[in-house]
Every structure is written in structure tokens, then in C-alpha cells.
């Protein structure tokens, strides 16, 4: 009953209201020139320095879903749950090579979305539309998953009801508040709140990682309890070490997730809001500190095993909600006042990324669908207004996903989202360095990668679902005599690249027009203070610059 958790509910509510107030105040933070402009509303004026960017990008990538789902996976599956740690280590050297160049060309041309860049680079509104739709579709379930984190906390506090409306009413209210201050303050709201969110998470995790092992008998007892649980499991699987059949899946999932992470439009939004190239470089060097935090978060799964935590029942009969493992661990092991702080950290941890994701999806719709196909003469104020309204629609869609779908299915959708967003890699990430691919080849590669990826995902089943039950594809379905699995995203993006290359060669041999590159070599090295390029200014002598090496 909720009355047993009154202290936790009060502290959670007070901190939630505090950050909500900060969200509304953020509209006047850092003296915006004109909030009726996407540069101000959607990118915070493109003027965030090192500390703000570090908290904003980190708060965007390490979410409430991470806080509850990664240790829940470790609790249920063992070592496979640690795939998130190496992928967040691998990603930063990779994106160090790409994001500074993307920031520069976006600064020079005023790009707000990755589809803006693709539109100019390959002179293809069709390819830009494909990239925009892909980004929106991949982002929607990710926003919904932030609600899974809040819902897990609410269930642990007993704030649930019998009917669908009563069960989800607190989430609806929370997202209504989020929608209101995001509408008013834009990207400034999550940027300001990220300071509170990350500070709370660091405090909670550092206390947990010191206090819980002491209370549970030490790390030796914690790992021994985890070993005993997995050894006693009737179904063969991982323990505290990977089994041989899962090693390929682990490697490809980690690498594929690393390639996908900064292709998500919300990840790029935080980067494009930065003041200059040096801010990007410093952040890519410092953000691995979050990977250390993630490793500590994952260990909470083993602590929950040692503490004999039993997850609460799931939405479907006979199932359990593994996402409640961490909230229940805190509830059982900490005093109520600290548990309330921990719950607030998880809840606020959902608000920051959800706000950024909805802004990024709204910017994609406004710039690359509304302005490109519905109203070419839209003013800057009209663009900002459409983005604000679209961000509300996106949040309503995310709430609908949680209300009307099994939350466990929403988690599977996140894995599917990674497969989807990976198909933008050739046009966006490789396009930063080379224009070798023909725009027709990139569209054909996207179709092939997306088609193969969806077919593979459709073939994946589980005891509770016939199709789309994860992202681990059995290699035996390709005719291999093995029990090993592989991450669907890696196979799909390799097929994408192969088809894009073959079609590029064919179109080039047929002398099909490749369009005009709207960028130049020096655009990729522009920095703060460099003059902007007027749209269409390179249509003359500078219309066909040398491809970027």
C-alpha cells in the first residue's frame, strides 16, 4: 500500500516538483535572443559550454531505462547484461572522429537535424525524408521506455490502481508537466535539469556501491549468490560469465549499439547545441566517466540477487516485472528518506532524455517533413511553433505506447529501434567523411538493410511471443550448424552497405546524376565565429567541391 511508503512519496514528489519548476524557469536562462526560433528553442542558442554539454549529453544517454533495465538484465540473464559497459567505452573514440566535423558543417550551414545535413550533402530530399522518418520511428519507443523507469518506481511505492487509467494516471500527470515546460523552455529545460539529475544519480550510486556490499556481506558473498542462482536455473544460459553460444551476440550487440548510439537524433541534438568544436572534443574525452557509473549500476543486479529481491508481478498474468528489481532493492535496504531520493533520481532521470528526445523528433518533423513538403516558405517563428506542437504529440504517443502496450514489448521495441537507426549510418556517419556513395545507392541500401533487419526480427521468438521477441538472431536460420546468435543490427547494416556500394557503381556506370554537394571541404573544420553560409550560395562556382577525404 502507498501509505507504507509515505516518506518516499513525499521526497519523490518534492524533488519532482523542484525540477519541474526549474524547467519552467529555464525559458529565461542564459538570455535567449528569441525563443520563436529553432536555434533557440530546439538547440538552446547553440551556445552551451563544456559543463552544460557534459551533463546534457550524459543525461541524454544514461537514462531512467538504463538505471532500471541494465541491472534488471544482469539480475535475470547474468553477464550478457554487461554488454552496455563496453559499448559505452567503444563509442567515444568512434564519435570523436565524426561529431566535431558534424558540428562544424552544421554550424556553418545552420543545420538542426542530421537529415538537414544529408539533404545538403547528397542533394536529395527523398534521402533526407528517409533519414527523418527513420529517426522519428526509432526515437518513439525510446521515449516510451523512459516511462518504464518511472512506472517501476511508482509500482515500488504502491502508487498503482486496478483500472488502466488509475494505474497510469501518475505517469500521465508527470508527462503533462514535462510537456508544459518543454513547450515553454525547449532544450534549455533538460539542460538545466540535467545538473540535478546527474548529481542525484552519482550520489545514489556511490552510496549504494559502498553501503550495499557492506550490508550484504561483501563482494564475495554477492558474486557467490549470483553464481548459485544461475547454476540452479533449469534453463541453460549465462552466469557471471558468458557461455560460448552468447559470445558472438555479446560482441556484435556491444559494437552495433556503439555505432547506433550517436545516430539517434536526440544524441546529435545535444552535440549541435554546443558552443564550439573544443567543447565536443573535451566531452568525448570526459564522457567515459559515465561508463564507470554504468558498470556500477549494472552490479546492482547481482546485489539484488544476494538480497533475495523478488520482482513485482508484470502486466500479463504469470509474468514478473523485472524493472522493479532496483527500486525494490533500494526499498528493502535503505531508510525511507534515502529511498525517496533514489526514486527521485530515477524519475528525474526519465524526464531529461524524454524531453531531449521529443525535441529532436519534433525538429526532424518540422525541418525535413513540414518545411520540405508542406510549407516551404515557413518562417523561423512558424518552424519553432510547429516543433513545439509536434513535441507535445510525440509525448502523447509515448504515453499511449505504455498505456496500450505491454511494457515488456516496449523494451523489445528499443532493441528494434537500434536496428532501425543503424540503417542511417552510411548516409550520416560515413557521409561526414565521403560523398562516394550515390544518393540512389544510399536509398537502395536503406531499403535492403531495413527489409532484411525487419525480416530477421520477425523470425525471433520467445516463450511469450512468436515474433519480434528481441534482437538476437539464431545463426541456424541462415543454415549454420550452431546454437550461436548474432545482433540483427550488424547483419542489416552490412547488407545496407553492400547494396549501397553495388547500386552506386551501377548508377555511376549508367551516368545517373548525383546532384550537387552543398558543402565544401572547409565547412568540416569551421569553428565558433566562422561566418555562416547562405542557403544556395554554393550553387555557382563552388557547386561541386572536392569530396571530403
Amino acid at each position: 500500500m502507498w501509505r507504507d511508503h509515505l516518506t518516499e512519496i513525499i521526497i519523490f514528489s518534492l524533488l519532482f516538483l523542484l525540477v519541474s519548476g526549474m524547467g519552467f524557469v529555464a525559458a529565461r536562462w542564459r538570455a535567449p535572443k528569441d525563443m520563436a526560433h529553432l536555434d533557440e528553442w530546439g538547440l538552446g542558442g547553440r551556445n552551451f559550454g563544456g559543463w552544460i554539454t557534459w551533463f546534457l549529453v550524459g543525461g541524454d544517454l544514461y537514462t531512467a531505462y538504463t538505471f532500471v533495465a541494465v541491472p534488471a538484465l544482469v539480475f535475470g540473464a547474468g553477464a550478457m547484461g554487461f554488454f552496455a559497459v563496453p559499448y559505452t567505452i567503444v563509442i567515444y573514440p568512434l564519435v570523436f572522429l565524426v561529431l566535431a566535423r558534424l558540428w562544424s558543417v552544421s554550424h556553418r550551414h545552420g543545420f538542426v537535424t542530421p537529415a538537414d545535413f544529408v539533404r545538403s550533402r547528397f542533394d536529395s530530399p527523398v534521402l533526407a525524408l528517409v533519414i527523418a522518418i527513420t529517426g522519428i520511428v526509432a526515437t518513439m519507443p525510446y521515449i516510451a521506455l523512459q516511462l518504464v523507469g518511472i512506472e517501476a518506481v511508482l509500482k515500488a511505492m504502491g502508487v498503482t490502481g486496478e483500472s488502466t487509467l488509475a494505474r497510469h494516471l501518475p505517469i500521465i500527470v508527470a508527462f503533462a508537466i514535462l510537456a508544459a515546460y518543454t513547450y515553454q523552455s525547449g532544450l534549455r529545460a533538460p539542460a538545466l535539469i540535467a545538473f540535478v539529475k546527474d548529481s542525484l544519480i552519482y550520489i545514489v550510486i556511490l552510496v549504494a556501491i559502498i553501503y550495499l556490499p557492506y550490508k550484504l556481506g561483501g563482494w564475495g558473498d554477492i558474486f557467490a549468490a549470483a553464481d548459485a542462482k544461475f547454476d540452479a536455473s533449469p534453463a541453460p544460459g549465462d552466469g557471471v560469465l558468458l557461455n560460448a553460444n552468447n559470445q558472438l551476440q555479446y560482441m556484435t550487440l556491444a559494437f552495433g549499439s556503439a555505432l547506433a548510439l550517436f545516430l539517434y537524433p536526440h544524441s546529435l541534438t545535444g552535440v549541435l547545441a554546443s558552443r564550439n568544436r573544443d567543447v565536443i572534443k573535451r566531452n568525448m574525452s570526459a564522457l567515459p566517466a559515465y561508463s564507470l557509473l554504468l558498470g556500477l549500476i549494472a552490479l546492482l543486479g547481482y546485489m539484488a540477487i544476494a538480497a533475495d529481491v523478488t520482482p513485482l508481478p508484470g502486466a500479463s498474468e504469470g509474468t514478473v516485472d523485472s524493472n522493479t528489481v532496483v527500486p525494490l532493492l533500494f526499498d528493502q535496504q535503505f531508510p525511507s528518506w534515502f529511498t525517496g531520493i533514489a526514486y527521485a533520481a530515477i524519475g528525474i532521470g526519465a524526464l531529461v532524455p524524454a524531453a531531449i528526445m521529443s525535441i529532436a523528433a519534433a525538429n526532424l518533423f518540422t525541418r525535413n517533413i513540414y518545411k520540405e513538403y508542406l510549407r516551404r516558405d515557413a518562417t523561423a517563428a512558424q518552424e519553432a511553433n510547429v516543433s513545439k506542437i509536434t513535441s507535445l504529440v510525440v509525448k502523447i504517443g509515448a504515453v499511449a505506447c505504455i498505456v496500450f502496450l505491454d511494457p515488456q514489448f516496449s523494451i523489445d521495441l528499443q532493441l528494434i529501434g537500434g536496428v532501425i537507426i543503424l540503417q542511417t549510418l552510411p548516409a550520416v556517419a560515413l557521409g561526414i567523411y565521403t560523398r562516394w556513395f550515390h544518393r540512389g545507392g544510399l536509398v537502395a541500401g536503406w531499403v535492403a538493410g531495413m527489409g532484411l533487419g525487419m525480416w530477421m526480427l520477425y523470425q525471433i521468438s520467445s516463450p511469450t511471443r512468436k515474433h519480434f521477441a528481441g534482437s538476437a538472431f539464431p545463426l541456424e536460420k541462415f543454415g549454420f550448424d550452431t546454437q550461436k546468435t548474432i545482433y540483427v543490427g550488424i547483419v542489416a547494416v552490412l547488407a545496407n552497405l553492400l547494396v549501397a556500394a553495388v547500386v552506386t557503381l551501377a548508377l555511376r556506370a549508367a551516368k545517373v546524376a548525383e546532384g550537387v554537394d552543398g558543402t565544401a571541404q572547409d565547412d568540416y573544420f569551421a569553428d565558433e565565429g566562422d561566418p555562416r553560409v547562405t542557403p544556395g550560395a554554393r550553387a555557382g562556382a563552388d557547386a561541386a567541391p572536392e569530396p571530403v577525404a
Side-chain angles (χ1 to χ4, degrees), residues 42-44 46-50 52-58 60-61 99 103 112 187 190-191 262 264-276 279-280 283-284 287 356-357 359-360 363:
L43 292 179
R46 298 181 186 260
N47 196 36
F48 290 159
I52 298 174
T53 301
W54 193 74
F55 280 106
L56 180 64
V57 175
D60 185 19
L61 301 180
L99 292 186
W103 182 93
V112 175
L187 193 65
F262 271 94
Y264 279 105
H266 59 272
S267 302
L268 297 177
T269 295
V271 170
L272 297 183
S274 304
R275 179 185 299 147
N276 54 42
V279 169
I280 305 300
N283 269 273
M284 292 307 107
L287 279 169
I356 303 171
M357 291 170 190
I359 290 169
N363 289 345

Coordinates of all heavy atoms in Angstrom, one line a residue, residues 42-44 46-50 52-58 60-61 99 103 112 187 190-191 262 264-276 279-280 283-284 287 356-357 359-360 363:
G42 N 15.1 24.8 -30.0 CA 15.5 23.4 -30.2 C 16.9 23.1 -30.0 O 17.3 21.9 -29.8
L43 N 17.8 24.1 -29.9 CA 19.2 23.9 -29.7 C 19.8 24.8 -28.6 O 21.0 25.0 -28.6 CB 20.0 24.1 -31.0 CG 19.7 23.0 -32.1 CD1 20.5 23.4 -33.4 CD2 20.1 21.6 -31.7
G44 N 19.0 25.4 -27.8 CA 19.5 26.2 -26.7 C 20.4 27.4 -27.1 O 21.2 27.8 -26.3
R46 N 22.6 27.3 -29.4 CA 23.9 26.7 -29.9 C 25.1 27.3 -29.1 O 26.1 27.7 -29.7 CB 24.1 27.0 -31.4 CG 23.1 26.4 -32.3 CD 23.4 26.8 -33.8 NE 22.4 26.3 -34.7 CZ 22.5 25.2 -35.5 NH1 23.6 24.4 -35.4 NH2 21.6 24.9 -36.3
N47 N 24.9 27.5 -27.8 CA 25.9 28.2 -27.0 C 26.2 27.5 -25.7 O 26.7 28.2 -24.8 CB 25.4 29.6 -26.8 CG 26.4 30.6 -26.3 OD1 27.6 30.5 -26.8 ND2 26.1 31.5 -25.4
F48 N 26.0 26.2 -25.6 CA 26.3 25.5 -24.4 C 27.8 25.2 -24.3 O 28.4 24.8 -25.2 CB 25.5 24.2 -24.3 CG 24.1 24.4 -24.1 CD1 23.2 23.4 -24.4 CD2 23.6 25.6 -23.5 CE1 21.8 23.6 -24.2 CE2 22.2 25.8 -23.3 CZ 21.3 24.7 -23.7
G49 N 28.4 25.5 -23.1 CA 29.8 25.3 -22.9 C 30.1 23.8 -22.4 O 29.2 23.0 -22.5
G50 N 31.3 23.6 -21.9 CA 31.7 22.2 -21.6 C 30.9 21.6 -20.5 O 30.5 20.4 -20.7
I52 N 27.9 22.3 -19.2 CA 26.4 22.1 -19.6 C 26.3 20.9 -20.6 O 25.4 20.1 -20.5 CB 25.8 23.4 -20.2 CG1 25.9 24.5 -19.1 CG2 24.4 23.1 -20.6 CD1 25.4 25.8 -19.6
T53 N 27.2 20.9 -21.6 CA 27.1 19.9 -22.6 C 27.4 18.5 -22.0 O 26.8 17.5 -22.4 CB 28.1 20.2 -23.8 OG1 27.9 21.5 -24.3 CG2 28.1 19.1 -24.8
W54 N 28.4 18.5 -21.1 CA 28.7 17.2 -20.5 C 27.5 16.6 -19.7 O 27.2 15.4 -19.9 CB 29.9 17.4 -19.5 CG 30.5 16.1 -19.0 CD1 31.3 15.3 -19.7 CD2 30.3 15.5 -17.7 NE1 31.7 14.2 -19.0 CE2 31.1 14.3 -17.8 CE3 29.6 15.8 -16.6 CZ2 31.2 13.5 -16.6 CZ3 29.7 15.0 -15.5 CH2 30.5 13.8 -15.5
F55 N 26.8 17.5 -18.9 CA 25.6 17.0 -18.2 C 24.5 16.7 -19.2 O 23.7 15.8 -19.0 CB 25.2 18.0 -17.2 CG 26.0 18.0 -15.9 CD1 26.9 19.0 -15.6 CD2 25.8 17.0 -15.0 CE1 27.7 18.9 -14.5 CE2 26.6 16.9 -13.8 CZ 27.5 17.9 -13.6
L56 N 24.3 17.5 -20.2 CA 23.2 17.4 -21.1 C 23.4 16.1 -22.0 O 22.4 15.3 -22.0 CB 23.1 18.6 -22.1 CG 22.0 18.5 -23.1 CD1 20.7 18.6 -22.5 CD2 22.1 19.7 -24.1
V57 N 24.5 15.9 -22.6 CA 24.7 14.7 -23.4 C 24.7 13.4 -22.5 O 24.1 12.4 -22.8 CB 26.0 14.8 -24.2 CG1 26.3 13.5 -24.9 CG2 26.0 16.0 -25.2
G58 N 25.4 13.5 -21.3 CA 25.4 12.4 -20.4 C 24.0 12.1 -19.9 O 23.6 10.9 -19.8
D60 N 21.3 12.6 -21.4 CA 20.6 12.2 -22.6 C 20.8 10.7 -22.8 O 19.9 9.9 -23.2 CB 21.0 13.0 -23.8 CG 20.1 12.7 -25.0 OD1 19.0 12.1 -24.8 OD2 20.5 13.0 -26.1
L61 N 22.1 10.2 -22.6 CA 22.4 8.9 -23.0 C 22.2 7.9 -21.8 O 22.0 6.7 -22.0 CB 23.9 8.8 -23.4 CG 24.3 9.7 -24.6 CD1 25.8 9.6 -24.9 CD2 23.5 9.3 -25.8
L99 N 31.8 13.6 -34.7 CA 31.0 14.7 -34.2 C 31.5 16.1 -34.3 O 30.8 17.0 -34.5 CB 30.6 14.4 -32.8 CG 29.7 13.2 -32.6 CD1 29.3 13.0 -31.1 CD2 28.5 13.2 -33.4
W103 N 29.5 18.9 -36.2 CA 29.2 20.2 -35.5 C 29.6 21.4 -36.5 O 28.9 22.3 -36.6 CB 29.9 20.3 -34.2 CG 29.6 21.6 -33.5 CD1 28.6 21.9 -32.6 CD2 30.2 22.9 -33.7 NE1 28.6 23.2 -32.2 CE2 29.6 23.8 -32.9 CE3 31.3 23.3 -34.5 CZ2 30.0 25.2 -32.8 CZ3 31.7 24.7 -34.5 CH2 31.0 25.6 -33.6
V112 N 19.9 21.8 -38.3 CA 19.4 21.5 -37.0 C 19.2 20.0 -36.7 O 19.3 19.5 -35.6 CB 18.0 22.2 -36.8 CG1 17.3 21.8 -35.5 CG2 18.1 23.7 -36.9
L187 N 15.1 23.2 -25.3 CA 16.2 22.4 -24.8 C 16.9 23.0 -23.6 O 17.6 22.2 -22.9 CB 17.3 22.4 -26.0 CG 18.4 21.3 -25.8 CD1 17.9 19.9 -25.8 CD2 19.5 21.5 -26.8
P190 N 15.8 20.6 -20.2 CA 16.5 19.4 -19.8 C 18.0 19.8 -19.6 O 18.6 19.1 -18.7 CB 16.4 18.5 -21.0 CG 16.0 19.4 -22.2 CD 15.2 20.5 -21.6
A191 N 18.6 20.8 -20.2 CA 19.9 21.2 -19.9 C 20.1 21.6 -18.5 O 21.1 21.2 -17.8 CB 20.4 22.3 -20.9
F262 N 25.1 7.4 -31.3 CA 25.1 8.8 -31.7 C 24.5 9.0 -33.1 O 24.6 10.1 -33.7 CB 26.5 9.3 -31.7 CG 26.9 9.9 -30.3 CD1 27.5 9.1 -29.4 CD2 26.6 11.2 -30.0 CE1 27.8 9.6 -28.1 CE2 26.9 11.7 -28.8 CZ 27.5 10.9 -27.8
Y264 N 21.2 8.3 -33.1 CA 19.9 8.8 -32.7 C 19.8 10.3 -32.7 O 20.8 10.9 -32.3 CB 19.6 8.3 -31.2 CG 19.2 6.9 -31.1 CD1 20.0 5.9 -30.7 CD2 17.9 6.5 -31.4 CE1 19.6 4.5 -30.6 CE2 17.4 5.2 -31.3 CZ 18.3 4.2 -30.9 OH 17.9 2.9 -30.8
P265 N 18.8 10.8 -33.2 CA 18.7 12.3 -33.4 C 18.8 13.0 -32.0 O 19.4 14.2 -32.0 CB 17.3 12.6 -34.0 CG 16.6 11.3 -33.9 CD 17.6 10.2 -33.8
H266 N 18.4 12.4 -30.9 CA 18.5 13.2 -29.6 C 19.9 13.2 -29.2 O 20.3 14.2 -28.5 CB 17.6 12.5 -28.6 CG 18.0 11.1 -28.3 ND1 17.4 10.0 -29.0 CD2 18.8 10.5 -27.4 CE1 17.9 8.9 -28.6 NE2 18.7 9.1 -27.6
S267 N 20.8 12.3 -29.5 CA 22.2 12.3 -29.2 C 22.9 13.5 -29.9 O 23.7 14.2 -29.4 CB 22.9 11.0 -29.5 OG 22.3 9.9 -28.9
L268 N 22.5 13.7 -31.2 CA 23.1 14.7 -32.0 C 22.6 16.1 -31.6 O 23.3 17.1 -31.8 CB 22.8 14.5 -33.5 CG 23.4 13.2 -34.1 CD1 23.0 13.0 -35.5 CD2 24.9 13.2 -34.0
T269 N 21.4 16.2 -31.1 CA 20.8 17.4 -30.6 C 21.7 18.1 -29.6 O 22.0 19.3 -29.6 CB 19.4 17.3 -30.1 OG1 18.5 16.8 -31.2 CG2 18.8 18.6 -29.6
G270 N 22.1 17.3 -28.6 CA 23.0 17.8 -27.5 C 24.3 18.3 -28.1 O 24.9 19.3 -27.6
V271 N 24.8 17.6 -29.0 CA 26.1 17.9 -29.6 C 26.0 19.2 -30.4 O 26.8 20.1 -30.3 CB 26.6 16.8 -30.6 CG1 27.8 17.2 -31.4 CG2 26.9 15.6 -29.7
L272 N 24.9 19.4 -31.2 CA 24.8 20.6 -32.0 C 24.5 21.8 -31.2 O 24.6 22.9 -31.7 CB 23.6 20.4 -33.1 CG 23.8 19.3 -34.1 CD1 22.7 19.2 -35.1 CD2 25.2 19.5 -34.8
A273 N 24.1 21.6 -30.0 CA 23.8 22.8 -29.1 C 25.1 23.3 -28.5 O 25.1 24.3 -27.8 CB 22.8 22.4 -28.0
S274 N 26.2 22.7 -28.7 CA 27.5 23.1 -28.1 C 28.0 24.3 -28.7 O 27.7 24.7 -29.9 CB 28.5 21.9 -28.3 OG 28.0 20.8 -27.7
R275 N 28.9 25.0 -28.0 CA 29.4 26.3 -28.4 C 30.4 26.2 -29.5 O 30.4 27.0 -30.5 CB 30.0 27.1 -27.2 CG 30.6 28.4 -27.5 CD 31.3 29.0 -26.3 NE 30.3 29.1 -25.2 CZ 30.6 29.0 -23.9 NH1 31.9 28.6 -23.6 NH2 29.7 29.2 -23.0
N276 N 31.3 25.2 -29.4 CA 32.4 25.1 -30.4 C 32.9 23.7 -30.5 O 32.5 22.8 -29.8 CB 33.5 26.1 -30.2 CG 34.1 26.0 -28.7 OD1 34.3 24.9 -28.2 ND2 34.3 27.2 -28.1
V279 N 34.5 22.1 -27.3 CA 33.6 21.6 -26.3 C 33.2 20.1 -26.7 O 33.2 19.2 -25.8 CB 32.3 22.4 -26.3 CG1 31.2 21.7 -25.5 CG2 32.5 23.8 -25.7
I280 N 33.1 19.8 -27.9 CA 32.8 18.4 -28.4 C 34.0 17.5 -28.1 O 33.8 16.4 -27.5 CB 32.5 18.4 -29.9 CG1 31.4 19.4 -30.3 CG2 32.2 17.0 -30.4 CD1 30.1 19.1 -29.7
N283 N 34.3 16.9 -24.3 CA 33.3 16.0 -23.8 C 33.4 14.5 -24.2 O 33.2 13.6 -23.5 CB 31.9 16.5 -24.3 CG 31.3 17.5 -23.3 OD1 30.6 17.1 -22.4 ND2 31.6 18.8 -23.5
M284 N 33.9 14.3 -25.5 CA 34.1 12.9 -25.9 C 35.3 12.3 -25.1 O 35.3 11.1 -24.9 CB 34.4 12.9 -27.4 CG 33.2 13.2 -28.3 SD 31.7 12.3 -27.9 CE 30.7 13.5 -27.1
L287 N 33.3 12.0 -21.3 CA 32.1 11.2 -21.1 C 32.3 9.7 -20.7 O 31.4 9.1 -20.1 CB 31.2 11.2 -22.4 CG 30.4 12.5 -22.5 CD1 29.8 12.6 -23.9 CD2 29.3 12.5 -21.4
I356 N 14.6 15.7 -24.3 CA 15.5 15.9 -25.5 C 15.1 15.1 -26.7 O 15.1 15.5 -27.8 CB 17.0 15.5 -25.1 CG1 17.4 16.3 -23.9 CG2 17.9 15.7 -26.2 CD1 18.7 15.9 -23.3
M357 N 14.6 13.9 -26.4 CA 14.1 13.0 -27.5 C 12.9 13.6 -28.2 O 12.8 13.6 -29.4 CB 13.8 11.6 -27.0 CG 15.0 10.8 -26.5 SD 14.5 9.3 -25.6 CE 16.1 8.8 -24.9
I359 N 12.1 16.7 -28.4 CA 12.6 17.9 -29.1 C 13.2 17.5 -30.4 O 13.0 18.1 -31.5 CB 13.5 18.8 -28.3 CG1 12.7 19.4 -27.1 CG2 14.2 19.8 -29.1 CD1 13.6 20.1 -26.1
A360 N 14.1 16.5 -30.4 CA 14.8 16.0 -31.6 C 13.8 15.5 -32.6 O 14.0 15.8 -33.8 CB 15.8 14.9 -31.2
N363 N 12.0 18.4 -34.2 CA 12.8 19.1 -35.1 C 12.9 18.4 -36.5 O 12.9 19.0 -37.5 CB 14.2 19.3 -34.5 CG 14.3 20.3 -33.4 OD1 13.3 21.1 -33.2 ND2 15.3 20.3 -32.6

